[in-house]
């Protein structure tokens, strides 16, 4: 009997340990067509936080939007893409200066990948000692890569001073990065580098410009709910109101 209990305990522990080591550090999900979402994780204030980016398969290599947050996953992401699609990443564009978007830029540059940020992002990366891209975008830019086309858009300050979004017009995919939060988000997340007064206007600029997105991809939440932008605007409106009241009562 004792042996049986010990065996069961042992098996239970093994399953637990095995189960833990099996928890993936990198997740890849199919979005639609040639679009995929990759997720890595990092710890923020004691919580495990997911960070999503996307990649797009083209006839001219793979375009990576943002880099993994987890520094151990730069190469595994390239390897997974190669294994899954037999293609190499050729371009990487980061959407603002925070580490969850830019951490892999220098590593990818060393692998021969053309890395991009806006000039504004580069200035902030330099100032804040973050990884920097090789090529700079001076203004909103249309990229044509293989059979695909997409544009970068700077809507104003929000999550950070420099946050941009990416729009795939043909596919109606809006890549919102950290500017847009999930439809269930309780708040707009870390605002230490943000602009609480401009945030609402900035989000509305995105909404006005891209009126009919089929998908809205966000950095730290589930992307399956298209109400994320609307919900973020609501949060930003509340935030502005609250800060106005605080400001005027000072
Ligand atoms: Zn972020």
């Amino acid at each position: 009997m004792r042996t049986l209990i010990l065996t069961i305990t042992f098996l239970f522990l093994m399953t637990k340990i095995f189960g833990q080591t099996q928890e993936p550090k990198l997740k890849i999900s199919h979005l639609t067509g040639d679009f995929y979402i990759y997720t890595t994780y990092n710890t923020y204030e004691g919580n495990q936080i997911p960070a999503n980016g996307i990649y797009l398969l083209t006839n001219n290599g793979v375009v990576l939007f943002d880099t993994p947050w987890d520094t151990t996953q730069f190469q595994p992401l390239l390897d997974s893409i190669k294994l899954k699609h037999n293609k190499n990443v050729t371009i990487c564009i980061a959407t603002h200066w925070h580490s969850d978007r830019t951490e892999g830029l220098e590593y990818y540059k060393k692998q021969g990948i053309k890395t991009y940020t806006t000039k504004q992002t580069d200035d902030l990366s330099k100032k804040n000692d973050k990884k920097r891209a090789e090529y700079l975008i001076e203004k909103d830019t249309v990229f044509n890569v293989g059979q695909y086309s997409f544009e970068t858009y700077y809507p104003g300050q929000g999550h950070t001073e420099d946050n941009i979004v990416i729009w795939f017009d043909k596919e109606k995919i809006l890549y919102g990065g950290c500017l847009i939060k999930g439809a269930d988000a309780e708040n707009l997340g870390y605002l230490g580098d943000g602009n609480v007064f401009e945030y609402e206007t900035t989000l509305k600029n995105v909404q006005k410009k891209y009126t009919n997105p089929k998908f809205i991809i966000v950095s730290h939440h589930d992307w399956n709910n298209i109400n994320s932008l609307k919900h973020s605007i609501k949060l930003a409106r509340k935030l502005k109101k609250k800060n106005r009241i605080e400001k005027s009562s000072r």
Side-chain angles (χ1 to χ4, degrees), residues 11-242:
L11 282 173
F12 176 75
L13 281 172
M14 281 313 285
T15 328
K16 243 191 136 171
I17 291 161
F18 193 57
Q20 266 173 2
T21 50
Q22 267 200 330
E23 196 64 41
K25 286 183 155 195
L26 170 68
K27 247 188 233 168
I28 294 178
S29 330
H30 184 227
L31 178 64
T32 178
D34 288 325
F35 292 82
Y36 289 80
I37 297 173
Y38 69 90
T39 308
T40 65
Y41 303 83
N42 218 322
T43 312
Y44 177 71
E45 288 180 346
N47 297 313
Q48 178 94 325
I49 310 282
N52 307 317
I54 60 175
Y55 67 81
L56 168 63
L57 309 175
T58 83
N59 296 338
N60 208 0
V62 178
V63 186
L64 189 61
F65 297 89
D66 293 319
T67 82
W69 192 8
D70 180 347
T71 55
T72 68
Q73 297 305 304
F74 301 155
Q75 189 59 43
L77 177 59
L78 299 184
D79 293 343
S80 300
I81 291 173
K82 181 77 181 172
L83 197 70
K84 215 173 155 80
H85 313 288
N86 197 26
K87 278 177 189 285
N88 294 315
V89 175
T90 49
I91 295 177
C92 175
I93 303 173
T95 55
H96 71 267
W97 67 270
H98 282 164
S99 303
D100 62 336
R101 309 289 106 197
T102 54
E103 194 65 40
L105 284 178
E106 281 175 16
Y107 182 85
Y108 288 146
K109 184 187 154 189
K110 276 184 206 146
Q111 312 308 311
I113 296 166
K114 287 187 172 174
T115 52
Y116 289 85
T117 64
T118 64
K119 171 83 171 61
Q120 203 183 2
T121 295
D122 191 59
D123 289 341
L124 287 161
S125 297
K126 198 173 157 185
K127 196 172 122 190
N128 292 286
D129 204 21
K130 300 289 174 188
K131 305 286 191 277
R132 296 167 64 193
E134 186 175 7
Y135 300 98
L136 302 184
I137 310 165
E138 299 279 344
K139 55 180 193 312
D140 295 341
T141 301
V142 174
F143 283 78
N144 294 294
V145 188
Q147 72 277 43
Y148 286 98
S149 178
F150 57 88
E151 65 187 44
T152 67
Y153 172 51
Y154 174 66
Q157 301 189 5
H159 172 69
T160 53
E161 275 175 56
D162 61 322
N163 43 212
I164 59 167
V165 299
I166 313 277
W167 174 246
F168 303 87
D169 191 51
K170 205 173 143 222
E171 298 80 13
K172 308 290 173 218
I173 298 171
L174 174 62
Y175 179 61
C178 298
L179 177 67
I180 306 174
K181 306 298 173 191
D184 305 322
E186 285 170 19
N187 55 55
L188 291 164
Y190 177 69
L191 289 163
D193 302 310
N195 187 327
V196 296
F197 298 103
E198 290 294 314
Y199 211 134
E200 186 194 0
T201 311
T202 297
L203 286 170
K204 280 183 171 168
N205 288 339
V206 177
Q207 195 184 40
K208 254 181 266 165
K209 196 164 167 74
Y210 306 123
T211 50
N212 55 349
K214 268 193 204 159
F215 299 97
I216 302 175
I217 311 305
V218 298
S219 289
H220 301 296
H221 301 94
D222 193 9
W223 60 83
N224 287 316
N225 192 328
I226 199 79
N227 289 319
S228 51
L229 179 54
K230 254 187 237 161
H231 178 69
S232 298
I233 291 173
K234 218 164 95 187
L235 292 174
R237 189 178 308 138
K238 273 189 205 157
L239 182 74
K240 186 160 77 177
K241 238 184 179 170
K242 187 176 151 244

